């Protein structure tokens, strides 16, 4: 099996701790289950839906994966902390998810690879009402997954 041979060659390179070992065949694309990748998070300021520049690298990384793998999609879920009314939080969580979606589309990700959802304050990442807990709940979660065929 070519994939097993390639993986064994990569292990050999790591064991010898050198970059001078050459592969006898070109590396093959390895099957990868994107459901195994951990979720990614983008945090937001109070009442804000604009993406902070510190998260552009993460988003660019996700966009690159999506552009190179048309059979992968991203589930983008917006969240808020528990302050504010339910109506405001529902609107804000969707605005956050859409901001991330628009960013990825501007980076060349087709809309068919993006699924947008919002949960407002219904699924907190951190329990509690401290400033730190609330700041961790103002987020968008990105989860990559294989597209259903």
């Amino acid at each position: 099996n070519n994939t097993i041979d390639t993986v064994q060659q990569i292990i050999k390179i790591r064991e010898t701790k050198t970059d001078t070992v050459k592969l006898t065949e070109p590396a093959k694309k390895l099957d990868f289950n994107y459901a195994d990748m951990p979720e990614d998070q983008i945090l937001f300021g109070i009442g804000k839906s604009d993406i902070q520049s510190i998260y552009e690298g993460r988003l660019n990384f996700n966009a690159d994966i999506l552009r190179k793998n048309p059979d992968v999609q991203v589930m983008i879920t917006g969240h808020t902390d528990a302050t504010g009314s339910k109506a405001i939080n529902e609107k804000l969580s969707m605005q956050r998810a859409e901001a991330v979606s628009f960013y990825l589309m501007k980076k060349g990700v087709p809309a068919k690879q993006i699924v947008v959802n919002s949960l407002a304050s219904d699924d907190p990442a951190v329990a509690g009402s401290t400033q730190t807990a609330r700041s961790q709940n103002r987020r968008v979660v990105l989860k990559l997954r294989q597209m259903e065929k």
Side-chain angles (χ1 to χ4, degrees):
N1 183 327
N2 289 338
T3 301
I4 291 172
D5 293 340
T6 303
V7 170
Q8 288 172 341
Q9 290 174 357
I10 292 169
I11 291 169
K12 182 178 178 182
I13 291 170
R14 288 183 179 158
E15 287 173 351
T16 60
K17 296 181 180 164
T18 179
D19 293 329
T20 59
V21 177
K22 293 187 178 182
L23 297 177
T24 56
E25 292 181 33
K28 308 284 186 211
K29 183 178 177 185
L30 300 177
D31 289 330
F32 184 77
N33 184 356
Y34 285 92
D36 293 337
M37 282 187 66
E39 295 177 339
D40 202 355
Q41 290 191 107
I42 307 298
L43 300 179
F44 292 84
I46 299 169
K48 303 285 186 191
S49 61
D50 53 313
I51 298 169
Q52 299 174 50
S53 61
I54 60 170
Y55 295 112
E56 289 177 2
R58 283 186 191 182
L59 292 173
N60 292 341
F61 176 77
N62 280 283
D64 191 45
I65 290 172
L66 291 160
R67 282 192 313 271
K68 291 178 180 176
N69 297 279
D71 59 330
V72 174
Q73 70 181 179
V74 63
M75 171 68 81
I76 302 172
T77 306
H79 299 268
T80 64
D81 61 28
T83 60
S85 71
K86 185 165 180 68
I88 289 173
N89 286 341
E90 287 174 351
K91 181 178 178 183
L92 182 57
S93 66
M94 183 55 80
Q95 288 172 337
R96 289 173 175 166
E98 288 174 343
V100 171
S101 172
F102 294 146
Y103 183 95
L104 294 175
M105 285 190 283
K106 281 198 278 186
K107 295 297 178 177
V109 176
K112 69 179 183 175
Q113 286 180 264
I114 300 171
V115 178
V116 177
N117 188 22
S118 67
L119 294 176
S121 62
D122 291 341
D123 186 26
V126 179
S129 58
T130 65
Q131 183 177 356
T132 301
R134 287 193 305 266
S135 71
Q136 296 300 306
N137 292 327
R138 294 188 298 267
R139 71 198 191 283
V140 163
V141 175
L142 294 92
K143 179 67 178 156
L144 297 178
R145 65 183 187 187
Q146 295 297 134
M147 290 178 90
E148 294 180 13
K149 299 185 184 213

